[in-house]
Amino acid sequence: MIVDCGIYRDGRRTEGPADFSDALDEARATGDAFVWIGLHEPTEKEFDLVSSEFALHPLAVEDALRAHQRPKLEIYDDSLFVVIKPVVYEPRSDTVSAGELMLFIGDSFVVTVRHGEGAPLAAVRSRLEAEPEVLRHGPTSVLYAVSDAVVDHYIEVAAELQVDLEELEAQVFAPAGSGDSKNTAAGIYTFKRQVLEFRRATNPLSAPMARLSSAGVPFVDVGSQPFFRDVNDHLTRAVEHVEGLDRLLSDILSAHLAQVGVRQNDDMRKISAWAAMAAVPTMVAGVYGMNFRHMPELDWAWTYPAVIVLMGVAVVGLYRLFKRRGWM
């Protein structure tokens, strides 16, 4: 569906024709205006009208309709096609979800296509309309403002994930017996999936932002490189933060698996110690269960108490030995 359609002249929104084609012709005729159309999960029929009016490339249109694209920048004869993946952090479930945002930048027009709920376009449009000096730079200002808002939100999400990681780290290194190791391992893997989802949004965007930071990109204002370099710097910070989270998460997982192995070894030592203590009296008692014809001690009056004392001394001796070695 079409969320909004506006004509911007000299940095301010103005009234204009309702028809896309007439609005674009008027914007191009004046030379200081552009049309910004916003769509949210359009159907193929809805988008056909827009793509035909603005002469959008069919391959880019196909990508915009199907979604599930990696962040990228593609240059066509009549437009620039940019894909950005905004992310949303849900504090109740501690999950990260990614939407998709496509921008078509051309001669006097911007078409934005949003999939999912993670695109801050309404806030960006309101902010731009309050800053006419930025809007005067034309469609490039929209591309810059959208990418800047998305990348800044990356840093906020990374900070939220950092807090969750510290909580998970405290859970892993908690004293033995204070938590469920199965739930801890499941939590680590779930968190790793969230970080992976975040990486899919941030890492591939580095190449498009670096390209926009350099000169020679068509349909991009020649004086916008410093602004895109600033966005690229923020993106680099977000990418490094995500990489750091992933490395720490791998270290935490390794530490957890090592702890599980140590605890299993401790359990095996305890089981072996108890088995050894049970084996000694069993062995002694087993001797008297055999059918020997000649056993001199059978006629001794203190044979039974002596054997019981021998068993007790052997068990106590083994217990003290294992206790000193930390097996008990």
Side-chain angles (χ1 to χ4, degrees), residues 294-307:
H294 302 289
M295 295 185 69
E297 67 273 18
L298 293 178
D299 295 330
W300 298 351
W302 294 98
T303 297
Y304 180 74
V307 170

Side-chain angles (χ1 to χ4, degrees), residues 261-292:
V262 169
R263 289 169 187 169
Q264 289 177 343
N265 290 337
D266 289 341
D267 292 340
M268 288 301 299
R269 284 201 297 266
K270 291 178 181 179
I271 293 172
S272 300
W274 284 108
M277 288 189 294
V280 171
T282 301
M283 179 187 66
V284 175
V287 171
Y288 290 90
M290 299 180 184
N291 295 321
F292 290 108

Side-chain angles (χ1 to χ4, degrees), residues 77-97:
D77 293 336
D78 299 323
S79 63
L80 189 71
F81 181 58
V82 181
V83 179
I84 303 176
K85 294 180 74 70
V87 295
V88 174
Y89 175 80
E90 178 53 54
R92 294 183 179 179
S93 58
D94 295 334
T95 57
V96 173
S97 59

